Amino acid sequence: MLGHHERLDKSGFPLRISEHGIGKLARILAIADIFDTYTMKENDIQPMSVFSVIKKMEEMHLHNILDTQFNMTFIAHIAHTMVQHRVLLNDGRTGQVVMINRLNVSRPLVQVGTTFVDLSKEHSLYIQELLD
């Protein structure tokens, strides 16, 4: 199945076909392939954090690279599996994901001690790493 490397904006390979020539299965596999590629540790390449990949995938659908319906469904499901996971923020604090913002999936609400950090409002902060 080569179609999972094709993109809706014709930037894929090997055929650079338009969105009308890309089947549903290939569209779904493309999303899974991208997620797997970015989150997999390979040789000396460090994987991206799940929320960084979600952000990248949100941007891809805005630029008509991935199928919006399948992509948003996929990242919403992935994000919801992160609830209750411990995370490291880029400022060094650790916390726990307590809620996913459905309008900004890559920027959840994180509990740090007794306070809550809304990453959709704290633009300088992001989840650097999952701790468990």
Side-chain angles (χ1 to χ4, degrees), residues 36-49 52-53 128-129:
D36 185 57
T37 298
Y38 284 124
T39 58
M40 179 176 41
K41 180 173 174 55
E42 188 175 343
N43 300 326
D44 294 333
I45 301 170
Q46 288 297 318
M48 292 173 64
S49 78
S52 295
V53 176
Q128 184 172 319
E129 178 181 349

Side-chain angles (χ1 to χ4, degrees), residues 75-129:
I75 63 177
H77 283 290
I78 292 294
H80 284 286
T81 67
M82 297 295 112
V83 172
Q84 296 186 356
H85 279 264
R86 287 181 345 103
V87 295
L88 173 66
L89 298 177
N90 64 309
D91 67 358
R93 293 183 291 168
T94 60
Q96 182 177 34
V97 176
V98 293
M99 190 174 80
I100 302 300
N101 180 338
R102 68 180 183 92
L103 300 176
N104 198 345
V105 179
S106 63
R107 314 276 304 161
L109 182 67
V110 177
Q111 184 174 1
V112 177
T114 58
T115 63
F116 293 91
V117 179
D118 186 347
L119 296 179
S120 69
K121 295 179 180 168
E122 299 287 337
H123 299 286
S124 65
L125 296 175
Y126 60 88
I127 293 174
Q128 184 172 319
E129 178 181 349

